[in-house]
Amino acid sequence: MARPMRRLDNIDLRLLRVFLVLAEEGGFQDAQIALNLSQSTLSTHLAALERKLGGQLCERGRSGFRLTPFGQSVFTAARELFDEVEAFQGRIGRGRGHLVGRLRLGIVDGVVTNPRLGLQTALSRYMTYASEVFVDLELGTPLALERALIEGARDIVVGPLSQKLPGVTYIPLHRESQALYCGAGHALFALEDGEITHQRIEQALFSVRSYRHLDDLYRVNHPRASAAIVQMEAQVMMILSGHFIGYLPRHIGEDWARRGQMRVLRPESYGFDSAHFAATRRLKGEQPLVDAFVRELKAQAQASEPATVQVSR
């Protein structure tokens, strides 16, 4: 028989936040890193929350970490509770004429050197009038970012997104130029452009983006992948090894090319532009933190070069 739930007080919000991190990280090991707490402290907090709520929240042991049905209900309710707390903070802030609350951003990696996107420039302008906003910035793949947006874990995501999810607004920002590169130690590096035939490209070991595996193969008409990466820094390492060819944004690859450590392979045949979007959920009511940051992203994109991307319907 479940124990009756005790009356909640202020300390329970802290315990609930610990529980949310445990559930989101999938167990104690990753939660220890995220919260900078020992496993014994996490266990103590979890046990205290279970006593206050009157039920077991998760199963933990040799079989792993798993939420109980009660734990899943508490997790969902706690997420909704903290969303409401942040909304309350926002309403209070608006009453004082300030932006207040948490802004959860998601973006693909490898964009800090992109002068046209300029996320850091948009963030700089935003913080001049939103200094009371807590900014939570996370890197991810396009698919993971869109999933986090739909699940409510991110408020705005930016990258080469699918443009296909219902209930999401996609705002075109810019087109990022991509090129196929090899490193200085690669057999193709010293060849003249005319010597780099498609047959030679097909024979080269190809490092693809794991989240665009088939797209990359199709774009190069390559028979198979020999390596896969997620982050652009990992792709740089693959190419610099001298054994792989692979795609990079040109604002990354050209810096290495100027140093003589990479070269572009047949840009007229294999180069392309990747459309980048900002995406937000279509929610009822005002989203002042989100709307203000989207305005800064659009202003940055327009200042660097007017966007010509068409949003798919």
Side-chain angles (χ1 to χ4, degrees), residues 70-122:
F70 178 61
Q72 185 61 56
S73 297
V74 171
F75 174 77
T76 301
R79 284 284 296 271
E80 293 174 355
L81 171 64
F82 286 116
D83 285 345
E84 287 299 321
V85 169
E86 290 179 8
F88 171 78
Q89 290 176 327
R91 288 192 290 270
I92 296 299
R94 289 199 300 278
R96 295 163 45 219
H98 296 159
L99 289 177
V100 178
R102 179 184 293 262
L103 180 66
R104 299 167 300 177
L105 304 176
I107 193 165
V108 292
D109 79 304
V111 297
V112 69
T113 57
N114 186 336
R116 293 178 60 191
L117 180 58
L119 179 72
Q120 57 270 30
T121 305

Short mmCIF file of all heavy atoms in Angstrom, two decimals, residues 70-122:
data_model
loop_
_atom_site.label_atom_id
_atom_site.label_comp_id
_atom_site.label_asym_id
_atom_site.label_seq_id
_atom_site.Cartn_x
_atom_site.Cartn_y
_atom_site.Cartn_z
N PHE A 70 4.95 5.25 -11.36
CA PHE A 70 4.78 6.42 -10.50
C PHE A 70 5.86 7.46 -10.78
O PHE A 70 5.60 8.66 -10.85
CB PHE A 70 4.82 5.99 -9.03
CG PHE A 70 4.70 7.13 -8.05
CD1 PHE A 70 3.58 7.94 -8.02
CD2 PHE A 70 5.74 7.39 -7.16
CE1 PHE A 70 3.48 8.99 -7.12
CE2 PHE A 70 5.64 8.44 -6.25
CZ PHE A 70 4.51 9.23 -6.24
N GLY A 71 7.09 6.99 -10.95
CA GLY A 71 8.20 7.90 -11.25
C GLY A 71 8.00 8.63 -12.56
O GLY A 71 8.32 9.83 -12.68
N GLN A 72 7.46 7.93 -13.57
CA GLN A 72 7.21 8.58 -14.85
C GLN A 72 6.14 9.65 -14.70
O GLN A 72 6.25 10.73 -15.31
CB GLN A 72 6.76 7.54 -15.88
CG GLN A 72 6.59 8.10 -17.29
CD GLN A 72 7.87 8.67 -17.85
OE1 GLN A 72 8.90 7.99 -17.91
NE2 GLN A 72 7.84 9.93 -18.26
N SER A 73 5.12 9.39 -13.90
CA SER A 73 4.07 10.40 -13.66
C SER A 73 4.64 11.61 -12.93
O SER A 73 4.33 12.76 -13.27
CB SER A 73 2.94 9.78 -12.83
OG SER A 73 2.31 8.73 -13.52
N VAL A 74 5.51 11.36 -11.94
CA VAL A 74 6.13 12.47 -11.21
C VAL A 74 7.05 13.26 -12.14
O VAL A 74 7.08 14.49 -12.08
CB VAL A 74 6.91 11.94 -9.99
CG1 VAL A 74 7.73 13.05 -9.34
CG2 VAL A 74 5.94 11.34 -8.96
N PHE A 75 7.80 12.56 -12.98
CA PHE A 75 8.69 13.23 -13.93
C PHE A 75 7.91 14.18 -14.84
O PHE A 75 8.28 15.35 -15.02
CB PHE A 75 9.43 12.19 -14.76
CG PHE A 75 10.28 12.78 -15.85
CD1 PHE A 75 11.51 13.35 -15.59
CD2 PHE A 75 9.84 12.75 -17.17
CE1 PHE A 75 12.28 13.90 -16.59
CE2 PHE A 75 10.60 13.29 -18.19
CZ PHE A 75 11.82 13.87 -17.90
N THR A 76 6.81 13.70 -15.41
CA THR A 76 6.00 14.53 -16.31
C THR A 76 5.42 15.72 -15.55
O THR A 76 5.44 16.85 -16.05
CB THR A 76 4.85 13.68 -16.91
OG1 THR A 76 5.42 12.58 -17.64
CG2 THR A 76 4.00 14.52 -17.85
N ALA A 77 4.89 15.46 -14.35
CA ALA A 77 4.30 16.55 -13.57
C ALA A 77 5.36 17.56 -13.14
O ALA A 77 5.11 18.78 -13.13
CB ALA A 77 3.60 15.98 -12.34
N ALA A 78 6.56 17.08 -12.80
CA ALA A 78 7.63 18.00 -12.38
C ALA A 78 8.08 18.88 -13.53
O ALA A 78 8.34 20.08 -13.34
CB ALA A 78 8.81 17.19 -11.83
N ARG A 79 8.18 18.31 -14.74
CA ARG A 79 8.53 19.12 -15.90
C ARG A 79 7.50 20.22 -16.11
O ARG A 79 7.84 21.38 -16.36
CB ARG A 79 8.59 18.23 -17.16
CG ARG A 79 9.83 17.36 -17.26
CD ARG A 79 11.06 18.16 -17.69
NE ARG A 79 10.88 18.70 -19.01
CZ ARG A 79 11.22 18.07 -20.13
NH1 ARG A 79 11.75 16.86 -20.07
NH2 ARG A 79 11.03 18.63 -21.30
N GLU A 80 6.22 19.87 -16.00
CA GLU A 80 5.16 20.86 -16.15
C GLU A 80 5.23 21.91 -15.05
O GLU A 80 5.02 23.10 -15.29
CB GLU A 80 3.80 20.17 -16.15
CG GLU A 80 3.56 19.27 -17.36
CD GLU A 80 2.27 18.50 -17.25
OE1 GLU A 80 1.60 18.60 -16.19
OE2 GLU A 80 1.91 17.80 -18.22
N LEU A 81 5.55 21.48 -13.83
CA LEU A 81 5.64 22.40 -12.70
C LEU A 81 6.73 23.44 -12.95
O LEU A 81 6.51 24.64 -12.77
CB LEU A 81 5.94 21.63 -11.42
CG LEU A 81 6.29 22.49 -10.18
CD1 LEU A 81 5.12 23.36 -9.78
CD2 LEU A 81 6.72 21.59 -9.02
N PHE A 82 7.92 22.99 -13.37
CA PHE A 82 9.02 23.93 -13.56
C PHE A 82 8.79 24.83 -14.78
O PHE A 82 9.24 25.97 -14.80
CB PHE A 82 10.35 23.19 -13.65
CG PHE A 82 10.82 22.68 -12.32
CD1 PHE A 82 10.95 21.31 -12.08
CD2 PHE A 82 11.10 23.56 -11.29
CE1 PHE A 82 11.37 20.85 -10.84
CE2 PHE A 82 11.53 23.11 -10.06
CZ PHE A 82 11.66 21.75 -9.83
N ASP A 83 8.06 24.31 -15.77
CA ASP A 83 7.66 25.19 -16.88
C ASP A 83 6.77 26.31 -16.36
O ASP A 83 6.91 27.47 -16.78
CB ASP A 83 6.91 24.39 -17.96
CG ASP A 83 7.85 23.52 -18.79
OD1 ASP A 83 9.08 23.75 -18.74
OD2 ASP A 83 7.35 22.61 -19.48
N GLU A 84 5.85 25.97 -15.44
CA GLU A 84 4.96 26.97 -14.88
C GLU A 84 5.72 27.96 -13.98
O GLU A 84 5.41 29.15 -13.96
CB GLU A 84 3.84 26.30 -14.09
CG GLU A 84 2.80 25.61 -14.95
CD GLU A 84 2.09 26.58 -15.87
OE1 GLU A 84 1.81 27.73 -15.43
OE2 GLU A 84 1.84 26.22 -17.02
N VAL A 85 6.71 27.44 -13.24
CA VAL A 85 7.53 28.33 -12.41
C VAL A 85 8.25 29.35 -13.27
O VAL A 85 8.31 30.55 -12.95
CB VAL A 85 8.54 27.51 -11.57
CG1 VAL A 85 9.57 28.42 -10.91
CG2 VAL A 85 7.81 26.70 -10.51
N GLU A 86 8.83 28.88 -14.39
CA GLU A 86 9.53 29.80 -15.29
C GLU A 86 8.56 30.78 -15.93
O GLU A 86 8.88 31.95 -16.12
CB GLU A 86 10.28 29.00 -16.35
CG GLU A 86 11.47 28.24 -15.77
CD GLU A 86 12.22 27.43 -16.80
OE1 GLU A 86 11.90 27.57 -18.01
OE2 GLU A 86 13.10 26.65 -16.42
N ALA A 87 7.35 30.29 -16.26
CA ALA A 87 6.35 31.20 -16.82
C ALA A 87 5.96 32.26 -15.79
O ALA A 87 5.76 33.43 -16.12
CB ALA A 87 5.12 30.41 -17.26
N PHE A 88 5.83 31.85 -14.52
CA PHE A 88 5.53 32.79 -13.45
C PHE A 88 6.62 33.85 -13.33
O PHE A 88 6.34 35.05 -13.22
CB PHE A 88 5.39 32.02 -12.13
CG PHE A 88 5.30 32.89 -10.91
CD1 PHE A 88 4.11 33.53 -10.57
CD2 PHE A 88 6.41 33.08 -10.09
CE1 PHE A 88 4.03 34.33 -9.44
CE2 PHE A 88 6.34 33.89 -8.97
CZ PHE A 88 5.14 34.51 -8.64
N GLN A 89 7.90 33.40 -13.37
CA GLN A 89 9.00 34.35 -13.31
C GLN A 89 8.94 35.33 -14.48
O GLN A 89 9.20 36.53 -14.32
CB GLN A 89 10.33 33.60 -13.33
CG GLN A 89 10.61 32.82 -12.07
CD GLN A 89 11.89 32.00 -12.17
OE1 GLN A 89 12.25 31.53 -13.24
NE2 GLN A 89 12.60 31.87 -11.06
N GLY A 90 8.58 34.80 -15.65
CA GLY A 90 8.48 35.67 -16.81
C GLY A 90 7.39 36.72 -16.67
O GLY A 90 7.58 37.88 -17.03
N ARG A 91 6.24 36.30 -16.12
CA ARG A 91 5.13 37.25 -15.94
C ARG A 91 5.50 38.33 -14.93
O ARG A 91 5.19 39.51 -15.13
CB ARG A 91 3.87 36.49 -15.51
CG ARG A 91 3.24 35.67 -16.61
CD ARG A 91 1.86 35.19 -16.22
NE ARG A 91 1.91 34.17 -15.17
CZ ARG A 91 1.99 32.87 -15.39
NH1 ARG A 91 2.06 32.41 -16.64
NH2 ARG A 91 2.01 32.01 -14.39
N ILE A 92 6.18 37.93 -13.86
CA ILE A 92 6.63 38.92 -12.87
C ILE A 92 7.62 39.88 -13.50
O ILE A 92 7.57 41.10 -13.28
CB ILE A 92 7.26 38.22 -11.65
CG1 ILE A 92 6.21 37.36 -10.93
CG2 ILE A 92 7.87 39.23 -10.71
CD1 ILE A 92 5.04 38.14 -10.39
N GLY A 93 8.54 39.33 -14.30
CA GLY A 93 9.53 40.17 -14.96
C GLY A 93 8.90 41.16 -15.91
O GLY A 93 9.29 42.34 -15.96
N ARG A 94 7.90 40.71 -16.68
CA ARG A 94 7.23 41.61 -17.62
C ARG A 94 6.51 42.73 -16.87
O ARG A 94 6.45 43.86 -17.34
CB ARG A 94 6.23 40.83 -18.49
CG ARG A 94 6.90 39.94 -19.51
CD ARG A 94 5.94 39.57 -20.63
NE ARG A 94 4.76 38.87 -20.15
CZ ARG A 94 4.71 37.56 -19.89
NH1 ARG A 94 5.80 36.82 -20.02
NH2 ARG A 94 3.60 36.99 -19.49
N GLY A 95 5.97 42.38 -15.69
CA GLY A 95 5.31 43.40 -14.89
C GLY A 95 6.28 44.49 -14.45
O GLY A 95 5.89 45.64 -14.25
N ARG A 96 7.56 44.13 -14.33
CA ARG A 96 8.60 45.10 -13.97
C ARG A 96 9.28 45.67 -15.21
O ARG A 96 10.21 46.46 -15.11
CB ARG A 96 9.65 44.43 -13.09
CG ARG A 96 9.13 43.97 -11.74
CD ARG A 96 10.07 42.96 -11.09
NE ARG A 96 11.47 43.39 -11.18
CZ ARG A 96 12.48 42.56 -11.41
NH1 ARG A 96 12.24 41.27 -11.62
NH2 ARG A 96 13.71 43.00 -11.46
N GLY A 97 8.82 45.24 -16.39
CA GLY A 97 9.43 45.73 -17.62
C GLY A 97 10.72 45.03 -17.98
O GLY A 97 11.52 45.56 -18.76
N HIS A 98 10.97 43.82 -17.40
CA HIS A 98 12.21 43.10 -17.63
C HIS A 98 11.91 41.73 -18.25
O HIS A 98 10.83 41.17 -18.06
CB HIS A 98 12.98 42.87 -16.32
CG HIS A 98 13.43 44.13 -15.68
ND1 HIS A 98 13.75 44.21 -14.34
CD2 HIS A 98 13.62 45.37 -16.18
CE1 HIS A 98 14.11 45.45 -14.05
NE2 HIS A 98 14.03 46.17 -15.15
N LEU A 99 12.89 41.19 -18.96
CA LEU A 99 12.84 39.80 -19.39
C LEU A 99 13.50 38.96 -18.30
O LEU A 99 14.65 39.18 -17.94
CB LEU A 99 13.59 39.61 -20.71
CG LEU A 99 12.94 40.22 -21.96
CD1 LEU A 99 13.83 40.01 -23.17
CD2 LEU A 99 11.56 39.60 -22.20
N VAL A 100 12.76 37.99 -17.77
CA VAL A 100 13.24 37.15 -16.68
C VAL A 100 12.84 35.71 -16.97
O VAL A 100 11.76 35.45 -17.51
CB VAL A 100 12.62 37.58 -15.33
CG1 VAL A 100 13.08 36.67 -14.21
CG2 VAL A 100 12.98 39.03 -15.01
N GLY A 101 13.72 34.77 -16.62
CA GLY A 101 13.41 33.36 -16.80
C GLY A 101 14.57 32.61 -17.41
O GLY A 101 15.72 33.05 -17.36
N ARG A 102 14.27 31.46 -18.00
CA ARG A 102 15.29 30.59 -18.59
C ARG A 102 15.03 30.46 -20.09
O ARG A 102 13.90 30.17 -20.51
CB ARG A 102 15.24 29.20 -17.94
CG ARG A 102 16.25 28.19 -18.50
CD ARG A 102 16.04 26.83 -17.86
NE ARG A 102 16.36 26.86 -16.44
CZ ARG A 102 17.52 26.47 -15.93
NH1 ARG A 102 18.47 25.99 -16.72
NH2 ARG A 102 17.74 26.53 -14.64
N LEU A 103 16.06 30.67 -20.87
CA LEU A 103 15.99 30.50 -22.32
C LEU A 103 16.84 29.30 -22.70
O LEU A 103 18.06 29.31 -22.52
CB LEU A 103 16.49 31.75 -23.05
CG LEU A 103 16.46 31.69 -24.57
CD1 LEU A 103 15.03 31.62 -25.09
CD2 LEU A 103 17.19 32.89 -25.17
N ARG A 104 16.21 28.27 -23.24
CA ARG A 104 16.91 27.03 -23.56
C ARG A 104 17.15 26.96 -25.07
O ARG A 104 16.22 26.77 -25.84
CB ARG A 104 16.08 25.84 -23.08
CG ARG A 104 15.85 25.83 -21.58
CD ARG A 104 14.80 24.84 -21.15
NE ARG A 104 13.52 25.14 -21.77
CZ ARG A 104 12.42 24.40 -21.62
NH1 ARG A 104 12.45 23.32 -20.87
NH2 ARG A 104 11.30 24.73 -22.22
N LEU A 105 18.41 27.13 -25.43
CA LEU A 105 18.81 27.17 -26.83
C LEU A 105 19.47 25.85 -27.22
O LEU A 105 20.13 25.20 -26.41
CB LEU A 105 19.81 28.30 -27.09
CG LEU A 105 19.38 29.72 -26.70
CD1 LEU A 105 20.54 30.68 -26.94
CD2 LEU A 105 18.16 30.15 -27.50
N GLY A 106 19.31 25.48 -28.48
CA GLY A 106 20.00 24.33 -29.04
C GLY A 106 20.55 24.68 -30.40
O GLY A 106 19.88 25.36 -31.18
N ILE A 107 21.78 24.26 -30.69
CA ILE A 107 22.39 24.60 -31.96
C ILE A 107 23.36 23.49 -32.37
O ILE A 107 23.88 22.77 -31.51
CB ILE A 107 23.12 25.96 -31.88
CG1 ILE A 107 23.49 26.48 -33.27
CG2 ILE A 107 24.34 25.88 -30.97
CD1 ILE A 107 23.88 27.95 -33.28
N VAL A 108 23.56 23.35 -33.66
CA VAL A 108 24.55 22.39 -34.13
C VAL A 108 25.95 22.90 -33.81
O VAL A 108 26.15 24.10 -33.62
CB VAL A 108 24.41 22.15 -35.65
CG1 VAL A 108 23.11 21.42 -35.97
CG2 VAL A 108 24.51 23.44 -36.43
N ASP A 109 26.91 21.99 -33.76
CA ASP A 109 28.27 22.41 -33.47
C ASP A 109 28.94 22.95 -34.73
O ASP A 109 28.42 22.84 -35.83
CB ASP A 109 29.09 21.25 -32.90
CG ASP A 109 29.57 20.29 -33.98
OD1 ASP A 109 28.72 19.78 -34.73
OD2 ASP A 109 30.79 20.07 -34.07
N GLY A 110 30.11 23.55 -34.56
CA GLY A 110 30.90 24.01 -35.69
C GLY A 110 30.39 25.28 -36.34
O GLY A 110 30.67 25.53 -37.51
N VAL A 111 29.65 26.12 -35.59
CA VAL A 111 29.11 27.34 -36.19
C VAL A 111 29.74 28.61 -35.61
O VAL A 111 29.44 29.71 -36.08
CB VAL A 111 27.57 27.42 -36.04
CG1 VAL A 111 26.90 26.28 -36.78
CG2 VAL A 111 27.18 27.41 -34.57
N VAL A 112 30.59 28.47 -34.60
CA VAL A 112 31.11 29.67 -33.95
C VAL A 112 31.95 30.49 -34.93
O VAL A 112 32.05 31.72 -34.78
CB VAL A 112 31.93 29.29 -32.69
CG1 VAL A 112 33.22 28.58 -33.05
CG2 VAL A 112 32.21 30.52 -31.84
N THR A 113 32.56 29.85 -35.93
CA THR A 113 33.38 30.59 -36.91
C THR A 113 32.58 31.02 -38.13
O THR A 113 33.16 31.54 -39.08
CB THR A 113 34.57 29.73 -37.36
OG1 THR A 113 34.09 28.49 -37.90
CG2 THR A 113 35.52 29.46 -36.21
N ASN A 114 31.27 30.81 -38.10
CA ASN A 114 30.42 31.21 -39.22
C ASN A 114 30.03 32.67 -39.06
O ASN A 114 29.21 33.01 -38.21
CB ASN A 114 29.17 30.33 -39.27
CG ASN A 114 28.31 30.60 -40.50
OD1 ASN A 114 28.36 31.69 -41.08
ND2 ASN A 114 27.52 29.64 -40.88
N PRO A 115 30.59 33.58 -39.88
CA PRO A 115 30.30 35.01 -39.70
C PRO A 115 28.86 35.37 -40.04
O PRO A 115 28.34 36.37 -39.57
CB PRO A 115 31.29 35.69 -40.64
CG PRO A 115 31.54 34.67 -41.72
CD PRO A 115 31.50 33.35 -41.02
N ARG A 116 28.21 34.55 -40.86
CA ARG A 116 26.85 34.88 -41.29
C ARG A 116 25.81 34.50 -40.25
O ARG A 116 24.78 35.15 -40.15
CB ARG A 116 26.55 34.22 -42.63
CG ARG A 116 27.39 34.77 -43.78
CD ARG A 116 27.11 34.05 -45.07
NE ARG A 116 25.71 34.17 -45.44
CZ ARG A 116 25.14 33.45 -46.42
NH1 ARG A 116 25.86 32.55 -47.06
NH2 ARG A 116 23.88 33.62 -46.71
N LEU A 117 26.07 33.43 -39.50
CA LEU A 117 25.12 33.05 -38.46
C LEU A 117 25.30 33.93 -37.24
O LEU A 117 24.35 34.54 -36.75
CB LEU A 117 25.28 31.57 -38.09
CG LEU A 117 24.33 31.06 -37.01
CD1 LEU A 117 22.87 31.27 -37.43
CD2 LEU A 117 24.58 29.59 -36.73
N GLY A 118 26.53 34.02 -36.74
CA GLY A 118 26.83 34.95 -35.65
C GLY A 118 25.96 34.79 -34.42
O GLY A 118 25.43 35.77 -33.90
N LEU A 119 25.79 33.55 -33.96
CA LEU A 119 24.97 33.34 -32.76
C LEU A 119 25.51 34.15 -31.59
O LEU A 119 24.74 34.72 -30.82
CB LEU A 119 24.94 31.85 -32.40
CG LEU A 119 24.14 31.51 -31.14
CD1 LEU A 119 22.65 31.67 -31.39
CD2 LEU A 119 24.44 30.10 -30.65
N GLN A 120 26.83 34.20 -31.47
CA GLN A 120 27.41 34.93 -30.35
C GLN A 120 27.10 36.43 -30.44
O GLN A 120 26.94 37.11 -29.42
CB GLN A 120 28.93 34.71 -30.26
CG GLN A 120 29.72 35.08 -31.49
CD GLN A 120 29.85 33.92 -32.47
OE1 GLN A 120 28.98 33.06 -32.55
NE2 GLN A 120 30.95 33.92 -33.21
N THR A 121 26.98 36.96 -31.67
CA THR A 121 26.63 38.37 -31.84
C THR A 121 25.19 38.62 -31.43
O THR A 121 24.88 39.59 -30.74
CB THR A 121 26.85 38.81 -33.31
OG1 THR A 121 28.19 38.51 -33.69
CG2 THR A 121 26.59 40.29 -33.48
N ALA A 122 24.30 37.72 -31.86
CA ALA A 122 22.89 37.83 -31.47
C ALA A 122 22.75 37.71 -29.95
O ALA A 122 21.98 38.44 -29.33
CB ALA A 122 22.07 36.75 -32.17
#
